[in-house]
Coordinates of all heavy atoms in Angstrom, one line a residue:
M269 N -39.9 -151.1 -147.2 CA -38.5 -150.9 -146.7 C -37.5 -151.3 -147.8 O -37.6 -152.3 -148.3 CB -38.2 -151.5 -145.5 CG -36.9 -151.4 -144.9 SD -36.7 -151.6 -143.2 CE -36.6 -153.3 -142.8
K270 N -36.5 -150.4 -148.1 CA -35.4 -150.8 -149.1 C -34.4 -151.6 -148.5 O -33.9 -151.3 -147.5 CB -34.9 -149.5 -149.6 CG -34.1 -149.6 -150.8 CD -33.6 -148.3 -151.3 CE -32.7 -148.5 -152.5 NZ -32.2 -147.3 -153.0
R271 N -34.1 -152.7 -149.1 CA -32.9 -153.5 -148.7 C -31.7 -153.1 -149.3 O -31.6 -152.8 -150.5 CB -33.2 -155.0 -149.0 CG -34.3 -155.6 -148.3 CD -34.4 -157.1 -148.7 NE -35.5 -157.7 -147.9 CZ -35.6 -159.0 -147.7 NH1 -34.8 -159.7 -148.2 NH2 -36.6 -159.4 -146.9
T272 N -30.7 -153.1 -148.5 CA -29.3 -152.7 -149.1 C -28.5 -154.0 -148.9 O -28.6 -154.7 -147.9 CB -28.7 -151.6 -148.2 OG1 -28.6 -151.9 -147.0 CG2 -29.6 -150.4 -148.5
S273 N -27.7 -154.3 -149.8 CA -26.8 -155.5 -149.9 C -25.6 -155.1 -149.1 O -25.2 -153.9 -149.1 CB -26.6 -156.0 -151.3 OG -25.9 -154.9 -151.9
A274 N -24.8 -155.9 -148.6 CA -23.6 -155.8 -148.0 C -22.6 -155.3 -149.0 O -22.6 -155.8 -150.2 CB -23.2 -157.1 -147.2
P275 N -21.6 -154.6 -148.6 CA -20.6 -154.2 -149.6 C -19.8 -155.4 -149.9 O -19.7 -156.3 -149.3 CB -19.8 -153.1 -148.8 CG -20.1 -153.4 -147.5 CD -21.4 -154.0 -147.3
P276 N -19.3 -155.4 -151.2 CA -18.4 -156.5 -151.6 C -17.2 -156.7 -150.9 O -16.7 -155.7 -150.3 CB -18.0 -156.2 -153.1 CG -18.3 -154.7 -153.2 CD -19.3 -154.3 -152.2
P277 N -16.7 -157.9 -150.6 CA -15.5 -158.1 -149.8 C -14.4 -157.2 -150.3 O -14.2 -157.1 -151.5 CB -15.2 -159.5 -149.9 CG -16.5 -160.1 -150.4 CD -17.2 -159.1 -151.1
R278 N -13.6 -156.6 -149.4 CA -12.5 -155.9 -149.9 C -11.3 -156.6 -150.4 O -10.8 -157.6 -149.8 CB -12.0 -155.0 -148.7 CG -10.9 -154.0 -149.1 CD -10.7 -153.0 -148.0 NE -9.4 -152.4 -148.4 CZ -8.5 -152.0 -147.4 NH1 -8.9 -152.1 -146.2 NH2 -7.4 -151.4 -147.8
L279 N -10.9 -156.3 -151.5 CA -9.7 -157.0 -152.3 C -8.6 -156.1 -152.3 O -8.6 -154.8 -152.7 CB -10.1 -157.4 -153.8 CG -11.2 -158.5 -154.0 CD1 -11.7 -158.5 -155.2 CD2 -10.7 -159.9 -153.4
T280 N -7.3 -156.7 -151.8 CA -6.2 -155.8 -151.8 C -5.0 -156.5 -152.5 O -5.2 -157.8 -152.7 CB -5.7 -155.4 -150.4 OG1 -5.6 -156.7 -149.6 CG2 -6.8 -154.6 -149.6
V281 N -4.1 -155.9 -152.9 CA -2.9 -156.4 -153.6 C -1.7 -156.0 -153.0 O -1.5 -154.9 -152.6 CB -2.9 -156.2 -155.1 CG1 -2.9 -154.8 -155.5 CG2 -2.0 -157.0 -155.8
K282 N -0.6 -156.8 -153.0 CA 0.8 -156.3 -152.5 C 1.8 -157.0 -153.4 O 1.6 -158.2 -153.8 CB 1.0 -156.6 -151.0 CG 1.3 -158.0 -150.7 CD 1.8 -158.0 -149.3 CE 2.5 -159.4 -149.1 NZ 3.3 -159.5 -147.9
Q283 N 2.8 -156.3 -153.8 CA 3.9 -156.9 -154.5 C 4.7 -157.8 -153.6 O 5.0 -157.4 -152.6 CB 4.8 -155.8 -155.2 CG 5.8 -156.5 -156.1 CD 6.4 -155.3 -157.0 OE1 6.1 -154.2 -156.8 NE2 7.3 -155.8 -157.8
V284 N 5.1 -159.0 -154.2 CA 6.0 -159.9 -153.4 C 7.3 -159.4 -153.6 O 7.9 -159.3 -154.9 CB 5.9 -161.4 -154.0 CG1 6.7 -162.3 -153.2 CG2 4.3 -161.8 -153.7
S285 N 8.0 -159.1 -152.5 CA 9.3 -158.6 -152.7 C 10.2 -159.7 -152.4 O 10.3 -160.5 -151.5 CB 9.6 -157.5 -151.5 OG 9.4 -157.9 -150.3
H286 N 11.0 -160.0 -153.4 CA 12.0 -161.0 -153.4 C 13.1 -160.7 -154.5 O 12.9 -159.8 -155.3 CB 11.5 -162.5 -153.7 CG 11.0 -162.6 -155.0 ND1 9.6 -162.2 -155.5 CD2 11.4 -163.2 -156.1 CE1 9.5 -162.5 -156.7 NE2 10.5 -163.2 -157.1
D287 N 14.3 -161.3 -154.3 CA 15.3 -161.0 -155.4 C 14.8 -161.5 -156.8 O 14.4 -162.7 -156.9 CB 16.6 -161.7 -155.0 CG 17.3 -161.1 -153.7 OD1 17.0 -159.9 -153.5 OD2 17.9 -161.8 -153.0
R288 N 14.7 -160.6 -157.7 CA 14.2 -161.0 -159.1 C 15.4 -160.8 -160.0 O 16.1 -159.8 -159.8 CB 13.2 -159.9 -159.3 CG 12.3 -160.2 -160.5 CD 11.2 -159.2 -160.8 NE 11.8 -157.8 -160.9 CZ 12.2 -157.3 -162.0 NH1 12.5 -158.1 -163.0 NH2 12.7 -156.1 -162.2
E289 N 15.4 -161.6 -160.9 CA 16.5 -161.6 -162.0 C 16.3 -160.3 -162.8 O 15.1 -159.8 -162.9 CB 16.4 -162.9 -162.9 CG 16.7 -164.0 -162.0 CD 17.5 -165.1 -162.7 OE1 18.0 -164.9 -163.8 OE2 17.5 -166.2 -162.1
P290 N 17.2 -159.8 -163.4 CA 17.1 -158.5 -164.1 C 15.9 -158.5 -165.1 O 15.1 -157.4 -165.1 CB 18.4 -158.3 -164.9 CG 19.4 -159.0 -164.1 CD 18.6 -160.2 -163.5
F291 N 15.7 -159.4 -165.8 CA 14.5 -159.4 -166.7 C 13.4 -160.5 -166.2 O 12.8 -161.2 -167.0 CB 14.9 -159.8 -168.2 CG 15.7 -158.7 -168.7 CD1 17.1 -158.7 -168.7 CD2 15.1 -157.4 -169.2 CE1 17.9 -157.8 -169.2 CE2 15.9 -156.6 -169.7 CZ 17.3 -156.6 -169.7
G292 N 13.3 -160.8 -164.9 CA 12.4 -161.7 -164.3 C 11.0 -161.4 -164.2 O 10.7 -160.1 -164.4
D293 N 10.1 -162.1 -163.9 CA 8.7 -161.9 -163.6 C 8.4 -161.1 -162.3 O 9.2 -161.2 -161.4 CB 7.9 -163.2 -163.7 CG 8.0 -164.0 -164.9 OD1 8.3 -163.5 -165.9 OD2 7.8 -165.3 -164.8
Y294 N 7.4 -160.4 -162.5 CA 6.9 -159.7 -161.2 C 5.7 -160.4 -160.6 O 4.9 -161.0 -161.3 CB 6.4 -158.2 -161.6 CG 7.4 -157.4 -161.9 CD1 8.0 -157.2 -163.3 CD2 8.1 -156.5 -161.2 CE1 8.9 -156.4 -163.7 CE2 9.0 -155.5 -161.4 CZ 9.6 -155.6 -162.6 OH 10.6 -154.7 -163.1
H295 N 5.8 -160.6 -159.3 CA 4.8 -161.4 -158.5 C 4.1 -160.7 -157.6 O 4.7 -159.8 -156.9 CB 5.4 -162.5 -157.9 CG 6.0 -163.5 -158.8 ND1 5.4 -164.5 -159.5 CD2 7.2 -163.6 -159.4 CE1 6.2 -165.3 -160.2 NE2 7.3 -164.6 -160.1
Y296 N 2.7 -160.9 -157.4 CA 1.9 -160.1 -156.6 C 0.9 -161.1 -155.7 O 0.7 -162.2 -156.4 CB 1.0 -159.1 -157.2 CG 1.7 -158.2 -158.1 CD1 2.1 -158.4 -159.3 CD2 2.1 -156.8 -157.6 CE1 2.8 -157.6 -160.1 CE2 2.7 -156.0 -158.4 CZ 3.1 -156.4 -159.7 OH 3.8 -155.5 -160.5
E297 N 0.5 -160.8 -154.5 CA -0.4 -161.6 -153.8 C -1.7 -160.8 -153.7 O -1.7 -159.5 -153.4 CB 0.2 -162.0 -152.5 CG 1.3 -163.0 -152.6 CD 1.8 -163.2 -151.2 OE1 1.7 -162.5 -150.3 OE2 2.4 -164.4 -151.1
I298 N -2.9 -161.5 -153.9 CA -4.2 -160.8 -153.8 C -5.0 -161.2 -152.6 O -5.0 -162.6 -152.5 CB -5.1 -161.0 -155.1 CG1 -4.2 -160.4 -156.3 CG2 -6.3 -160.3 -154.9 CD1 -4.7 -160.7 -157.6
F299 N -5.5 -160.5 -151.8 CA -6.1 -160.9 -150.4 C -7.6 -160.4 -150.5 O -7.8 -159.3 -151.1 CB -5.4 -160.2 -149.3 CG -3.9 -160.7 -149.2 CD1 -3.0 -159.9 -149.8 CD2 -3.7 -161.6 -148.4 CE1 -1.7 -160.4 -149.7 CE2 -2.2 -162.2 -148.4 CZ -1.3 -161.3 -148.8
R300 N -8.5 -161.2 -150.0 CA -9.9 -160.7 -149.7 C -10.1 -160.7 -148.3 O -9.8 -161.7 -147.5 CB -10.8 -161.8 -150.3 CG -12.3 -161.5 -150.0 CD -13.2 -162.2 -150.8 NE -13.1 -163.6 -150.7 CZ -13.7 -164.6 -151.4 NH1 -14.5 -164.2 -152.3 NH2 -13.4 -166.0 -151.2
E301 N -10.2 -159.5 -147.7 CA -10.5 -159.5 -146.2 C -9.3 -160.0 -145.4 O -9.4 -160.6 -144.5 CB -11.7 -160.0 -145.8 CG -13.0 -159.5 -146.4 CD -13.3 -158.0 -146.1 OE1 -12.8 -157.6 -145.0 OE2 -14.0 -157.4 -146.8
G302 N -8.1 -159.8 -146.0 CA -6.8 -160.2 -145.4 C -6.5 -161.7 -145.6 O -5.4 -162.1 -145.1
T303 N -7.2 -162.5 -146.3 CA -6.8 -163.9 -146.6 C -6.4 -164.0 -148.0 O -7.0 -163.5 -148.9 CB -8.1 -164.8 -146.4 OG1 -8.6 -164.6 -145.1 CG2 -7.8 -166.2 -146.7
L304 N -5.3 -164.6 -148.4 CA -4.7 -164.8 -149.7 C -5.7 -165.6 -150.5 O -6.1 -166.7 -150.1 CB -3.4 -165.6 -149.5 CG -2.8 -165.9 -150.9 CD1 -2.1 -164.5 -151.4 CD2 -1.5 -166.9 -150.5
V305 N -6.0 -165.1 -151.7 CA -7.0 -165.8 -152.5 C -6.4 -166.2 -153.9 O -6.8 -167.0 -154.6 CB -8.2 -165.0 -152.8 CG1 -9.1 -164.9 -151.4 CG2 -8.0 -163.6 -153.3
A306 N -5.3 -165.4 -154.3 CA -4.7 -165.6 -155.6 C -3.3 -165.0 -155.6 O -3.0 -164.1 -154.9 CB -5.6 -165.0 -156.6
R307 N -2.5 -165.5 -156.6 CA -1.2 -164.9 -156.9 C -1.2 -164.4 -158.4 O -1.6 -165.2 -159.3 CB -0.1 -166.0 -156.7 CG 0.0 -166.2 -155.2 CD 1.2 -167.1 -154.9 NE 1.5 -167.2 -153.6 CZ 0.9 -168.0 -152.7 NH1 0.0 -168.9 -153.3 NH2 1.2 -168.3 -151.5
Y308 N -1.0 -163.2 -158.7 CA -0.8 -162.6 -160.1 C 0.6 -162.3 -160.4 O 1.4 -162.1 -159.5 CB -1.6 -161.3 -159.9 CG -1.8 -160.5 -161.3 CD1 -2.5 -160.8 -162.3 CD2 -1.0 -159.4 -161.5 CE1 -2.6 -160.1 -163.5 CE2 -1.0 -158.7 -162.6 CZ -1.8 -159.1 -163.6 OH -1.9 -158.4 -164.8
A309 N 0.9 -162.5 -161.7 CA 2.3 -162.3 -162.1 C 2.2 -161.8 -163.6 O 1.3 -162.0 -164.3 CB 3.1 -163.6 -162.0
H310 N 3.3 -161.2 -163.8 CA 3.5 -160.7 -165.3 C 4.9 -160.6 -165.5 O 5.8 -160.6 -164.8 CB 2.8 -159.3 -165.5 CG 3.5 -158.2 -164.8 ND1 4.6 -157.5 -165.2 CD2 3.1 -157.6 -163.6 CE1 4.9 -156.6 -164.3 NE2 4.0 -156.7 -163.4
D311 N 5.2 -161.0 -166.9 CA 6.6 -160.9 -167.4 C 7.3 -159.5 -167.1 O 6.4 -158.5 -166.9 CB 6.8 -161.5 -168.7 CG 6.1 -160.7 -169.7 OD1 5.7 -159.5 -169.6 OD2 5.9 -161.3 -170.9
Y312 N 8.4 -159.4 -167.6 CA 9.3 -158.2 -167.3 C 8.5 -156.9 -168.1 O 8.5 -155.9 -167.5 CB 10.7 -158.3 -167.8 CG 11.5 -157.1 -167.8 CD1 11.9 -156.6 -166.6 CD2 11.8 -156.4 -169.0 CE1 12.8 -155.4 -166.6 CE2 12.6 -155.1 -168.9 CZ 13.0 -154.9 -167.7 OH 13.7 -153.6 -167.7
R313 N 8.1 -157.2 -169.4 CA 7.4 -156.2 -170.1 C 6.0 -155.9 -169.9 O 5.4 -155.0 -170.3 CB 7.6 -156.3 -171.6 CG 9.1 -156.2 -171.9 CD 9.4 -156.4 -173.4 NE 8.6 -157.4 -174.1 CZ 8.7 -157.8 -175.3 NH1 9.4 -157.1 -176.1 NH2 7.8 -158.7 -175.8
G314 N 5.5 -156.8 -169.2 CA 3.9 -156.8 -169.0 C 3.1 -157.4 -170.0 O 2.0 -157.2 -169.9
D315 N 3.8 -158.1 -171.0 CA 3.0 -158.6 -172.1 C 2.3 -160.0 -171.7 O 1.2 -160.3 -172.1 CB 4.0 -159.0 -173.3 CG 4.6 -157.7 -173.8 OD1 3.9 -156.6 -173.8 OD2 5.7 -157.9 -174.4
G316 N 3.1 -160.7 -170.9 CA 2.3 -162.0 -170.6 C 1.9 -161.9 -169.1 O 2.6 -161.5 -168.3
T317 N 0.7 -162.2 -168.8 CA 0.1 -162.2 -167.5 C -0.6 -163.4 -167.1 O -1.1 -164.1 -168.0 CB -0.9 -160.9 -167.2 OG1 -2.0 -161.1 -168.1 CG2 -0.3 -159.6 -167.5
W318 N -0.7 -163.9 -165.8 CA -1.5 -165.0 -165.4 C -1.8 -164.8 -163.9 O -1.2 -164.0 -163.3 CB -0.6 -166.3 -165.7 CG 0.7 -166.3 -165.0 CD1 1.0 -166.9 -163.8 CD2 1.9 -165.7 -165.4 NE1 2.3 -166.7 -163.5 CE2 2.9 -166.1 -164.4 CE3 2.3 -165.0 -166.6 CZ2 4.3 -165.6 -164.6 CZ3 3.6 -164.7 -166.7 CH2 4.5 -164.8 -165.7
I319 N -2.7 -165.7 -163.6 CA -3.1 -165.7 -162.2 C -3.3 -167.1 -161.8 O -3.8 -167.9 -162.5 CB -4.4 -164.8 -162.0 CG1 -4.8 -164.6 -160.4 CG2 -5.7 -165.4 -162.6 CD1 -5.8 -163.4 -160.2
V320 N -2.9 -167.3 -160.5 CA -3.1 -168.7 -160.0 C -3.8 -168.5 -158.7 O -3.5 -167.8 -157.8 CB -1.9 -169.4 -159.6 CG1 -1.9 -170.8 -158.9 CG2 -0.9 -169.5 -160.8
F321 N -5.0 -169.0 -158.5 CA -6.0 -168.9 -157.4 C -5.6 -170.1 -156.4 O -5.0 -171.0 -156.7 CB -7.4 -169.2 -157.7 CG -7.9 -168.1 -158.7 CD1 -7.9 -168.3 -160.2 CD2 -8.4 -166.9 -158.2 CE1 -8.5 -167.3 -160.9 CE2 -9.1 -165.9 -159.0 CZ -8.9 -166.1 -160.4
V322 N -5.8 -169.7 -155.1 CA -5.6 -170.6 -154.1 C -6.4 -171.9 -154.4 O -7.5 -171.8 -154.8 CB -6.0 -170.0 -152.7 CG1 -5.9 -171.1 -151.6 CG2 -5.0 -168.9 -152.3
G323 N -5.7 -172.9 -154.3 CA -6.4 -174.1 -154.9 C -5.7 -174.8 -156.1 O -5.9 -175.9 -156.5
G324 N -4.9 -173.8 -156.8 CA -4.2 -174.3 -157.9 C -4.7 -174.0 -159.2 O -3.9 -174.2 -160.3
R325 N -5.9 -173.4 -159.5 CA -6.5 -173.1 -160.9 C -5.7 -172.0 -161.4 O -5.5 -170.8 -160.8 CB -8.0 -172.8 -160.6 CG -8.6 -172.7 -162.0 CD -10.1 -172.3 -162.0 NE -10.3 -171.0 -161.7 CZ -10.9 -170.5 -160.6 NH1 -11.3 -171.3 -159.5 NH2 -11.1 -169.2 -160.5
K326 N -5.1 -172.2 -162.6 CA -4.3 -171.1 -163.2 C -5.2 -170.6 -164.5 O -5.8 -171.4 -165.2 CB -3.1 -171.6 -163.6 CG -2.1 -170.5 -164.4 CD -0.8 -171.2 -164.6 CE 0.3 -170.2 -165.2 NZ 1.5 -170.7 -165.4
E327 N -5.2 -169.3 -164.7 CA -5.9 -168.7 -165.7 C -5.1 -167.5 -166.4 O -4.2 -166.9 -165.6 CB -7.2 -168.1 -165.3 CG -8.4 -169.0 -165.0 CD -9.6 -168.3 -164.8 OE1 -9.9 -167.2 -165.4 OE2 -10.4 -168.8 -163.9
A328 N -5.4 -167.2 -167.6 CA -4.7 -165.9 -168.3 C -5.5 -164.8 -167.5 O -6.7 -165.0 -167.1 CB -5.1 -166.0 -169.7
S329 N -5.1 -163.8 -167.5 CA -5.8 -162.6 -166.8 C -5.6 -161.4 -167.6 O -4.9 -161.3 -168.5 CB -5.1 -162.5 -165.4 OG -3.7 -162.2 -165.6
P330 N -6.4 -160.3 -167.2 CA -6.1 -159.0 -167.9 C -4.7 -158.5 -167.8 O -4.0 -158.8 -166.9 CB -7.2 -158.1 -167.2 CG -8.1 -159.0 -166.5 CD -7.4 -160.2 -166.2
G331 N -4.3 -157.7 -168.8 CA -3.0 -157.1 -168.9 C -2.7 -156.3 -167.6 O -3.6 -155.8 -167.0
V332 N -1.5 -156.3 -167.4 CA -1.0 -155.6 -166.1 C -1.5 -154.1 -166.1 O -1.9 -153.6 -165.0 CB 0.6 -155.6 -166.0 CG1 1.4 -154.8 -167.0 CG2 1.0 -155.1 -164.7
R333 N -1.5 -153.4 -167.3 CA -2.1 -152.0 -167.2 C -3.5 -151.9 -167.1 O -4.0 -150.9 -166.6 CB -1.6 -151.3 -168.4 CG -0.1 -151.1 -168.5 CD 0.3 -150.5 -169.9 NE 1.7 -150.5 -170.1 CZ 2.6 -151.5 -170.3 NH1 2.1 -152.7 -170.6 NH2 3.9 -151.3 -170.4
E334 N -4.2 -153.0 -167.2 CA -5.7 -153.1 -167.0 C -6.1 -153.6 -165.6 O -7.1 -153.5 -165.0 CB -6.4 -153.9 -167.9 CG -6.3 -153.5 -169.3 CD -6.8 -154.5 -170.4 OE1 -6.5 -155.6 -170.1 OE2 -7.5 -154.2 -171.3
F335 N -5.0 -154.3 -164.9 CA -5.2 -154.9 -163.8 C -4.8 -154.3 -162.5 O -5.5 -154.3 -161.5 CB -4.5 -156.4 -163.8 CG -5.1 -157.4 -162.8 CD1 -6.2 -158.2 -163.2 CD2 -4.4 -157.7 -161.7 CE1 -6.7 -159.1 -162.4 CE2 -4.9 -158.7 -160.9 CZ -6.0 -159.4 -161.1
L336 N -3.6 -153.6 -162.7 CA -3.1 -152.9 -161.5 C -3.1 -151.3 -161.7 O -2.9 -150.8 -162.8 CB -1.6 -153.3 -161.2 CG -1.4 -154.9 -160.9 CD1 0.0 -155.1 -160.8 CD2 -2.2 -155.2 -159.6
E337 N -3.2 -150.7 -160.5 CA -3.0 -149.2 -160.7 C -2.1 -148.8 -159.5 O -1.9 -149.4 -158.6 CB -4.4 -148.5 -160.5 CG -5.4 -148.8 -161.5 CD -6.8 -148.3 -161.3 OE1 -7.1 -147.9 -160.2 OE2 -7.6 -148.2 -162.3
G338 N -1.6 -147.5 -159.8 CA -0.7 -147.0 -158.6 C 0.7 -147.6 -158.9 O 1.1 -147.8 -160.0
G339 N 1.4 -147.7 -157.8 CA 2.8 -148.2 -157.9 C 3.7 -146.8 -157.9 O 3.2 -145.7 -158.0
G340 N 5.0 -147.1 -157.7 CA 5.8 -146.0 -157.4 C 5.6 -145.2 -156.2 O 5.3 -145.7 -155.1
P341 N 5.3 -143.9 -156.3 CA 4.9 -143.2 -155.2 C 3.5 -143.3 -154.8 O 3.2 -143.0 -153.7 CB 5.2 -141.8 -155.5 CG 5.0 -141.6 -157.1 CD 5.5 -143.0 -157.5
Q342 N 2.7 -143.8 -155.6 CA 1.2 -144.1 -155.3 C 1.0 -145.4 -154.7 O 1.7 -146.3 -155.1 CB 0.4 -143.9 -156.6 CG 0.6 -142.6 -157.2 CD 0.0 -141.4 -156.3 OE1 -1.1 -141.6 -155.7 NE2 0.7 -140.4 -156.4
P343 N 0.0 -145.7 -153.8 CA -0.3 -147.0 -153.4 C -0.7 -147.9 -154.5 O -1.5 -147.6 -155.3 CB -1.4 -146.8 -152.4 CG -1.5 -145.3 -152.1 CD -0.9 -144.7 -153.3
L344 N -0.2 -149.1 -154.4 CA -0.6 -150.2 -155.4 C -2.0 -150.6 -155.1 O -2.4 -150.9 -153.9 CB 0.4 -151.3 -155.3 CG 0.2 -152.4 -156.4 CD1 0.4 -151.9 -157.8 CD2 1.1 -153.7 -156.0
R345 N -2.9 -150.8 -156.2 CA -4.2 -151.3 -156.0 C -4.8 -152.0 -157.2 O -4.1 -151.9 -158.2 CB -5.1 -150.1 -155.5 CG -5.3 -149.1 -156.7 CD -6.0 -147.8 -156.3 NE -6.0 -146.8 -157.3 CZ -5.0 -146.0 -157.5 NH1 -3.9 -145.9 -156.9 NH2 -5.2 -145.0 -158.4
L346 N -5.8 -152.7 -157.0 CA -6.5 -153.4 -158.0 C -7.3 -152.5 -158.9 O -8.1 -151.5 -158.2 CB -7.3 -154.6 -157.6 CG -6.4 -155.7 -156.9 CD1 -7.4 -156.6 -156.1 CD2 -5.7 -156.5 -157.9
S347 N -7.5 -152.5 -160.1 CA -8.4 -151.7 -160.9 C -9.8 -152.2 -160.8 O -9.9 -153.2 -160.2 CB -8.0 -151.8 -162.4 OG -8.4 -153.0 -162.9
D348 N -10.7 -151.4 -161.1 CA -12.0 -151.7 -161.1 C -12.2 -153.1 -162.0 O -13.0 -154.0 -161.6 CB -13.0 -150.7 -161.7 CG -13.1 -149.5 -160.8 OD1 -12.8 -149.7 -159.6 OD2 -13.5 -148.5 -161.2
K349 N -11.6 -153.2 -163.1 CA -11.7 -154.3 -164.0 C -11.2 -155.5 -163.3 O -11.6 -156.7 -163.4 CB -10.9 -154.1 -165.3 CG -11.0 -155.2 -166.3 CD -10.3 -154.8 -167.7 CE -10.6 -156.0 -168.5 NZ -10.1 -155.7 -169.9
A350 N -10.1 -155.3 -162.4 CA -9.4 -156.5 -161.8 C -10.5 -157.0 -160.6 O -10.6 -158.2 -160.6 CB -8.1 -156.2 -161.2
V351 N -11.0 -156.0 -160.0 CA -12.1 -156.4 -159.1 C -13.1 -157.2 -159.5 O -13.6 -158.3 -159.0 CB -12.6 -155.2 -158.1 CG1 -13.6 -155.6 -157.4 CG2 -11.4 -154.5 -157.4
R352 N -13.7 -156.8 -160.8 CA -14.8 -157.5 -161.4 C -14.3 -158.9 -161.8 O -15.1 -159.8 -161.7 CB -15.4 -156.6 -162.6 CG -16.1 -155.6 -162.2 CD -16.9 -155.0 -163.4 NE -15.9 -154.5 -164.5 CZ -15.3 -153.2 -164.7 NH1 -15.4 -152.5 -163.7 NH2 -14.4 -153.0 -165.6
F353 N -13.1 -159.0 -162.4 CA -12.4 -160.2 -162.9 C -12.5 -161.2 -161.6 O -12.8 -162.2 -161.8 CB -11.3 -160.0 -163.4 CG -10.4 -161.2 -163.7 CD1 -10.6 -161.7 -165.1 CD2 -9.5 -161.8 -162.9 CE1 -9.8 -163.0 -165.4 CE2 -8.7 -162.9 -163.2 CZ -9.0 -163.5 -164.4
L354 N -12.0 -160.7 -160.6 CA -11.7 -161.5 -159.5 C -13.1 -162.0 -158.9 O -13.3 -163.1 -158.5 CB -10.8 -160.9 -158.3 CG -9.4 -160.8 -158.8 CD1 -8.6 -159.6 -158.0 CD2 -8.7 -162.1 -158.7
T355 N -14.0 -161.0 -158.6 CA -15.2 -161.2 -158.0 C -16.1 -162.4 -158.8 O -16.7 -163.2 -158.1 CB -16.0 -159.8 -157.9 OG1 -15.3 -159.0 -157.0 CG2 -17.4 -160.1 -157.2
A356 N -16.0 -162.3 -160.0 CA -16.6 -163.3 -160.8 C -15.9 -164.7 -160.7 O -16.7 -165.7 -161.0 CB -16.6 -162.9 -162.4
R357 N -14.8 -164.8 -160.3 CA -14.1 -166.1 -160.2 C -13.9 -166.7 -158.9 O -13.6 -167.8 -158.6 CB -12.7 -166.0 -161.0 CG -13.0 -165.9 -162.5 CD -11.8 -165.3 -163.1 NE -11.9 -165.4 -164.5 CZ -12.6 -164.4 -165.3 NH1 -13.2 -163.6 -164.6 NH2 -12.7 -164.6 -166.6
L358 N -14.0 -165.8 -157.9 CA -13.8 -166.4 -156.4 C -15.1 -166.7 -155.9 O -16.2 -166.1 -156.1 CB -13.3 -165.1 -155.6 CG -11.9 -164.6 -155.9 CD1 -11.6 -163.4 -155.2 CD2 -10.9 -165.7 -155.6
P359 N -15.1 -167.9 -155.1 CA -16.3 -168.4 -154.5 C -16.8 -167.4 -153.4 O -16.0 -166.6 -153.0 CB -15.8 -169.7 -153.8 CG -14.4 -169.5 -153.7 CD -13.9 -168.7 -154.8
L360 N -18.1 -167.4 -153.2 CA -18.7 -166.5 -152.2 C -18.2 -166.9 -150.9 O -18.1 -168.1 -150.6 CB -20.3 -166.5 -152.3 CG -20.8 -166.0 -153.7 CD1 -22.3 -166.2 -153.6 CD2 -20.5 -164.5 -154.0
V361 N -18.1 -165.9 -149.9 CA -17.7 -166.3 -148.5 C -18.8 -166.3 -147.7 O -19.7 -165.5 -147.8 CB -16.5 -165.1 -148.1 CG1 -15.8 -165.8 -147.0 CG2 -15.7 -164.8 -149.1

């Protein structure tokens, strides 16, 4: 009998909507199965990116063009690279 593993937990992202200065940073919240697990941010141009995991650990992260997909008229989502990055760093549930 062939065993199948459970699908990986679903990771979602949403942009934090707040008043942002004209050249301010963009902020996002990342959820696993509806629970906040990290906050991702990038500077105005997308050159500087960082992620802060719940618990306070801060790391450099992949660039915004590698991390996020969609936006504008398309739904915002995490890229495959972002999912691999997060899965490798988040504790198992």
Side-chain angles (χ1 to χ4, degrees):
M269 176 152 84
K270 185 177 182 180
R271 290 186 180 195
T272 59
S273 60
R278 186 167 161 212
L279 294 165
T280 56
V281 62
K282 76 170 197 170
Q283 186 169 1
V284 176
S285 58
H286 65 283
D287 291 332
R288 192 179 59 75
E289 303 220 6
F291 294 98
D293 298 337
Y294 290 84
H295 296 267
Y296 306 85
E297 293 179 329
I298 300 170
F299 299 88
R300 178 171 53 190
E301 300 293 336
T303 301
L304 180 68
V305 293
R307 291 182 171 88
Y308 177 78
H310 64 83
D311 64 14
Y312 177 74
R313 297 187 315 180
D315 295 335
T317 61
W318 59 96
I319 191 163
V320 180
F321 293 93
V322 170
R325 187 176 85 245
K326 183 176 181 178
E327 288 188 32
S329 60
V332 67
R333 289 172 187 84
E334 299 172 316
F335 203 80
L336 299 173
E337 295 177 343
Q342 301 297 320
L344 184 65
R345 64 189 176 280
L346 296 165
S347 70
D348 290 342
K349 183 174 185 172
V351 170
R352 287 190 304 273
F353 174 87
L354 291 162
T355 301
R357 287 160 177 79
L358 291 171
L360 297 174
V361 201

